[in-house]
Amino acid sequence: MQLKHFLAATTAFLAISQPTLAYHVKRSNHAMLTLPPAFPGQGPLPTVAQVQSSSAGNDTLPLVNIQGDILVGMKKQKELFVFFHINNATAFKSVLKTYAATNITSISTLLSAPSAQPLAFVNLAFSQAGMTALGVTDDIGDSVFTAGQFSDASALGDDTSNWESAFQGTNIDGVFLIGSDEDTITAQYQADLETKLGDAWTVVYNLTSSVRPDDEAGHEHFGYLDGISNPTITGFGDALPGQSVVDPGIILANRTGDPVSSRPSWALDGSFLVFRKLKQLVPEFNKWTLDNAIQNSAGNLTTEEGATLLGARMFGRWKSGAPIDLSPDADNSTLGTDPELNNNFNYIHTGSDLTTDESRCPFSAHVRKTNPRDLEAQGLLTDLNHAIRAGTPYGPEVTDAESSSNTTQTDRGLAFVEYQSVISNGFRTQQLIWANNANFPFNKSESIGLDPVIGQGTRITYGLSETNYSESYSVTQFVVSNGGEYFFSPSITALVETFAA
Ligand code: HEM
Ligand SMILES: *[C@@H]1O[C@H](CO)[C@@H](O)[C@H](O)[C@H]1NC(C)=O
Ligand SMILES: *[C@@H]1O[C@H](CO)[C@@H](O)[C@H](O)[C@H]1NC(C)=O
Ligand SMILES: *[C@@H]1O[C@H](CO)[C@@H](O)[C@H](O)[C@H]1NC(C)=O
Ligand SMILES: *[C@@H]1O[C@H](CO)[C@@H](O)[C@H](O)[C@H]1NC(C)=O
Ligand SMILES: *[C@@H]1O[C@H](CO)[C@@H](O)[C@H](O)[C@H]1NC(C)=O
Ligand SMILES: *[C@@H]1O[C@H](CO)[C@@H](O)[C@H](O)[C@H]1NC(C)=O
Ligand SMILES: *[C@@H]1O[C@H](CO)[C@@H](O)[C@H](O)[C@H]1NC(C)=O
Ligand SMILES: *[C@@H]1O[C@H](CO)[C@@H](O)[C@H](O)[C@H]1NC(C)=O
Ligand SMILES: *[C@@H]1O[C@H](CO)[C@@H](O)[C@H](O)[C@H]1NC(C)=O
Ligand SMILES: *[C@@H]1O[C@H](CO)[C@@H](O)[C@H](O)[C@H]1NC(C)=O
């Protein structure tokens, strides 16, 4: 056969038999998987060598064995969540056995040189229902995980009539997370899974998320820069100024610092993945901040400026990411986008009374509710409640018609993902014990109210006014939970040796 015929035949063969030809094409000059620090405000990632030469709380982390999204997730250009039900455990396991060994992306892959990056990363996590379906029956030691998120919905303050039907009940067995720079590539990876898994599974729900365009890259749909204040774990690179450093076991099961000591051995290096589809009502948020625009102490703000200040006080950061604790009067994008500066605060200032002073940041602000840095700095809280967020926005940009009508017409929001070793300490404390609790942070002598962004219950919030902290605000609910599930993202060895066994 002449060479050109051979090539043509080979190409045709590949095109037919391998829908995932892309697997075999490593990226060259055109990156297909952009990794941090790809977005404003994020610090650099360590190299594999740096992590391995340090001691992660005396544990040497096997980076090749830990799913990449857990520590390197943050934001992705495109991320496809494929929620599935297992129909035939035997058939599912036989595919999983090979797939997990070869195609689940580890931390070390994500930390390796760009030329060694795959076109997409693939991670995989199971719900309790999925573990049970696969015959993994050991008690993993997390009761809210075992019960599933649907049974936790009312405790979290969700109205389950807003839940996507796919999340109601315990029908979702697992989720594949596929991240890339191109929708066409995530789609190819999904198609590959469909081909490999055939009748062994049914996809019950998909969600496509993506980084927002242009200057909004890295910002969530309300407009605020997100993903800039994750904790890190001991030994995983140098901490940024002000960044929390926690024991590996706060994030990874069975590592130093994991407060649960009775886990099965296969749980080592896995992490609980809390998924929530959080719808955001952006035009409604914009209208509310305009209608309730506040004044500063000089009394010289326009309505637009007062709305911007109110929004910043609801979040605790300006849209650029600048913390209001460091820049209370005006946004400062230099401060917001510099990872050496944008975490270096803890609400403590000389001469300021921590129980009453909300001049810089309300006690109820989203970032202060979900990470009360002053309480931790004062030794009133341990570091048990930290978790790593790795969500990405979903849905299109707000249209002119939506803006001018002040009404959301198309679904958009946050595909919220958070990793921790104990769901009740991480996500559940942040949402239920803190954001939803009108009296948190404790040790304050002002009324606080709910987190004005994510608090659920009677949405009364105080402290938003810069001139009268006792003024109460009845804040419209701009973030609506459409449901979710609690998953466990096992180590790659556990996927192969336990889940696929
Ligand atoms: C649509 C819903 C949400 C939006 C728009 C949102 C937005 C933001 C923004 C803009 C920041 C500041 C950027 C940063 O610190 O990285 C932030 C921080 C944070 N959020 Fe959210 N968030 C949402 C839901 C949640 C939920 C459900 C939780 C947990 C229950 C949560 C926990 C946190 C935590 C822990 C921080 C870091 C605070 C700090 O360390 O200073 N967020 N969020
Ligand atoms: C690491 O080991 C040293 C020496 O054995 C010990 O003092 C220290 O507490 C350990 N650190 C952690 C986080 O376990
Ligand atoms: C499940 O898959 C196995 C292995 O592919 C196959 O032998 C078996 O017939 C399937 N069971 C059903 C009920 O389809
Ligand atoms: C997926 O696994 C196959 C081997 O089964 C390998 O050739 C390919 O490079 C892998 N792809 C990725 C993205 O890891
Ligand atoms: C998920 O996406 C695939 C590929 O686009 C599509 O064929 C399928 O219908 C979707 N499934 C669900 C339940 O949305
Ligand atoms: C790790 O797992 C083993 C069982 O394999 C258990 O004996 C040990 O207590 C666990 N350690 C932690 C820190 O959870
Ligand atoms: C408002 O007044 C203060 C104090 O005089 C001044 O520093 C600030 O620049 C003024 N702000 C605006 C928006 O005019
Ligand atoms: C903005 O923040 C940077 C970094 O902290 C600081 O150097 C600069 O003076 C600030 N700009 C203004 C206008 O406050
Ligand atoms: C939208 O809200 C703004 C601020 O309250 C208001 O000025 C405007 O009239 C509203 N538009 C409509 C169509 O209701
Ligand atoms: C402050 O918090 C600590 C720890 O929860 C608590 O013991 C103490 O009573 C609190 N003090 C006040 C004044 O609320
Ligand atoms: C502050 O707001 C509270 C509650 O609305 C009100 O009772 C009080 O009079 C206000 N104080 C001032 C100084 O305006």
Side-chain angles (χ1 to χ4, degrees):
M1 196 195 285
Q2 284 181 308
L3 183 59
K4 67 178 178 185
H5 291 144
F6 172 78
L7 286 174
T10 307
T11 308
F13 168 79
L14 286 173
I16 293 162
S17 68
Q18 289 178 282
T20 55
L21 187 60
Y23 270 172
H24 304 279
V25 184
K26 297 294 183 189
R27 76 178 182 182
S28 48
N29 53 348
H30 181 46
M32 287 303 202
L33 183 57
T34 308
L35 292 166
F39 304 105
Q42 295 184 329
L45 288 169
T47 62
V48 172
Q50 280 167 344
V51 179
Q52 276 165 358
S53 66
S54 72
S55 161
N58 296 345
D59 301 332
T60 301
L61 292 179
L63 300 180
V64 292
N65 197 27
I66 305 173
Q67 295 203 47
D69 197 45
I70 300 170
L71 297 182
V72 191
M74 305 198 221
K75 290 172 282 232
K76 299 91 184 172
Q77 294 288 346
K78 306 285 175 186
E79 188 168 17
L80 174 62
F81 297 84
V82 182
F83 299 92
F84 61 86
H85 179 76
I86 298 168
N87 300 328
N88 181 332
T90 312
F92 189 94
K93 281 166 183 252
S94 83
V95 175
L96 179 61
K97 188 129 197 142
T98 310
Y99 196 88
T102 53
N103 289 116
I104 297 295
T105 312
S106 68
I107 295 177
S108 64
T109 299
L110 293 183
L111 294 186
S112 59
S115 60
Q117 297 295 338
L119 293 169
F121 82 85
V122 183
N123 277 194
L124 170 61
F126 291 96
S127 66
Q128 177 65 63
M131 282 176 34
T132 305
L134 295 177
V136 181
T137 54
D138 296 320
D139 179 1
I140 197 169
D142 194 298
S143 58
V144 292
F145 166 78
T146 298
Q149 197 177 112
F150 185 60
S151 72
D152 208 15
S154 69
L156 294 170
D158 284 15
D159 174 352
T160 53
S161 68
N162 293 323
W163 275 44
E164 301 281 352
S165 57
F167 293 116
Q168 298 192 19
T170 56
N171 190 43
I172 290 176
D173 288 332
V175 58
F176 280 97
L177 287 68
I178 307 173
S180 177
D181 285 3
E182 305 285 345
D183 282 330
T184 51
I185 294 180
T186 58
Q188 281 176 47
Y189 275 60
Q190 173 167 13
D192 176 52
L193 285 168
E194 307 255 11
T195 306
K196 289 190 166 103
L197 285 162
D199 294 337
W201 75 340
T202 302
V203 174
V204 292
Y205 189 71
N206 296 323
L207 187 65
T208 305
S209 63
S210 59
V211 161
R212 295 184 54 212
D214 308 321
D215 288 352
E216 294 299 328
H219 297 244
E220 51 70 46
H221 276 295
F222 293 132
Y224 298 82
L225 187 61
D226 198 5
I228 52 177
S229 59
N230 272 322
T232 187
I233 63 170
T234 315
F236 196 75
D238 297 327
L240 295 163
Q243 185 177 24
S244 298
V245 182
V246 300
D247 277 342
I250 302 296
I251 308 299
L252 298 169
N254 206 278
R255 285 284 164 192
T256 305
D258 179 356
V260 178
S261 56
S262 57
R263 302 199 195 269
S265 56
W266 54 258
L268 178 67
D269 291 331
S271 187
F272 290 96
L273 185 175
V274 171
F275 177 82
R276 305 266 286 164
K277 177 173 179 278
L278 299 175
K279 180 173 186 162
Q280 291 176 247
L281 304 177
V282 179
E284 290 83 350
F285 171 86
N286 290 337
K287 176 177 166 53
W288 192 86
T289 53
L290 276 171
D291 291 349
N292 294 277
I294 55 177
Q295 260 314 335
N296 60 10
S297 45
N300 62 0
L301 299 183
T302 64
T303 302
E304 281 71 23
E305 288 165 342
T308 302
L309 178 63
L310 176 60
R313 288 179 67 84
M314 291 166 75
F315 278 90
R317 287 187 185 266
W318 298 93
K319 287 188 174 176
S320 78
I324 58 174
D325 188 54
L326 297 181
S327 181
D329 300 322
D331 199 349
N332 179 336
S333 63
T334 308
L335 176 58
T337 54
D338 186 340
E340 297 288 327
L341 302 173
N342 66 12
N343 256 307
N344 202 9
F345 66 98
N346 64 8
Y347 309 112
I348 299 177
H349 301 273
T350 314
S352 159
D353 181 346
L354 275 176
T355 65
T356 57
D357 186 358
E358 300 184 79
S359 60
R360 288 165 176 272
C361 183
F363 299 140
S364 59
H366 176 57
V367 300
R368 197 162 184 177
K369 276 273 193 183
T370 56
N371 183 10
R373 296 165 188 238
D374 51 335
L375 297 188
E376 196 173 328
Q378 291 173 292
L380 294 170
L381 268 183
T382 64
D383 65 3
L384 277 179
N385 307 110
H386 289 290
I388 294 184
R389 290 169 300 126
T392 311
Y394 73 84
E397 293 295 293
V398 173
T399 62
D400 291 346
E402 288 178 298
S403 291
S404 56
S405 64
N406 298 318
T407 309
T408 297
Q409 283 155 15
T410 311
D411 187 14
R412 69 177 58 75
L414 182 64
F416 178 83
V417 170
E418 195 169 39
Y419 292 100
Q420 61 264 283
S421 67
V422 180
I423 295 171
S424 294
N425 288 348
F427 164 71
R428 215 162 174 272
T429 291
Q430 293 171 5
Q431 177 71 59
L432 195 159
I433 317 277
W434 294 350
N436 295 358
N437 179 353
N439 298 318
F440 189 82
F442 49 70
N443 290 85
K444 307 298 182 196
S445 17
E446 297 287 335
S447 300
I448 299 162
L450 268 54
D451 178 329
V453 180
I454 63 162
Q456 304 205 110
T458 306
R459 286 180 47 86
I460 304 289
T461 297
Y462 301 85
L464 296 179
S465 162
E466 203 175 274
T467 50
N468 183 354
Y469 310 144
S470 325
E471 208 168 301
S472 75
Y473 288 78
S474 175
V475 191
T476 307
Q477 184 156 10
F478 310 113
V479 173
V480 178
S481 167
N482 291 161
E485 186 51 284
Y486 296 140
F487 296 99
F488 185 70
S489 181
S491 72
I492 295 171
T493 340
L495 284 173
V496 176
E497 292 174 6
T498 305
F499 287 71

